[in-house]
Amino acid sequence: MPSKQQPAFEVACPDCGAMLKIDPATRAVIAHTPAPRKRTFEDFETAARAMREQDERKESLFRQAVDAEKNKDDLMEKKFAEALRKAKETPDTGKPLRDFDLD
């Protein structure tokens, strides 16, 4: 008895938009058509502008990192002085109590 062969059907991928052709008998993908690529920029002018803005942002971040590195010594000295001041204000009272010391 010859079985009636069902035609393959196409399904759109919800994630990427590609078209998948699926064989119903084996439930396997037999063909794949990728989704059309979206253009990132409409023309070269906007692409060039975006590249310049990206370069300016990189330069700004680099300048901030250099300034932070220059001020790092002063910041560390201030933090150390503050920690030293706090240590002098609250003198060490000996060994700290542990939970089983209270039993």
Side-chain angles (χ1 to χ4, degrees), residues 13-25:
C13 175
D15 187 40
C16 66
M19 291 301 294
L20 305 172
K21 192 173 219 177
I22 301 174
D23 181 33

Side-chain angles (χ1 to χ4, degrees), residues 17-77:
M19 291 301 294
L20 305 172
K21 192 173 219 177
I22 301 174
D23 181 33
T26 60
R27 297 181 181 181
V29 176
I30 56 175
H32 172 263
T33 306
R37 294 184 124 203
K38 296 178 183 174
R39 296 180 91 185
T40 306
F41 299 106
E42 293 299 320
D43 57 1
F44 287 118
E45 296 290 326
T46 55
R49 188 178 324 113
M51 291 295 289
R52 283 192 299 271
E53 290 172 358
Q54 185 180 20
D55 288 343
E56 290 172 4
R57 184 174 174 271
K58 287 179 186 177
E59 184 64 31
S60 172
L61 288 173
F62 178 73
R63 275 187 257 121
Q64 288 176 357
V66 168
D67 290 342
E69 195 63 34
K70 285 180 183 177
N71 298 331
K72 188 176 181 180
D73 290 337
D74 293 336
L75 181 64
M76 290 296 174
E77 286 178 17

Side-chain angles (χ1 to χ4, degrees), residues 74-101:
D74 293 336
L75 181 64
M76 290 296 174
E77 286 178 17
K78 288 178 183 176
K79 284 184 178 182
F80 180 74
E82 180 66 22
L84 189 63
R85 184 187 62 77
K86 282 184 180 179
K88 287 181 180 177
E89 287 177 359
T90 56
D92 190 19
T93 59
K95 292 172 92 176
L97 287 176
R98 297 173 291 193
D99 290 338
F100 60 84
D101 288 339

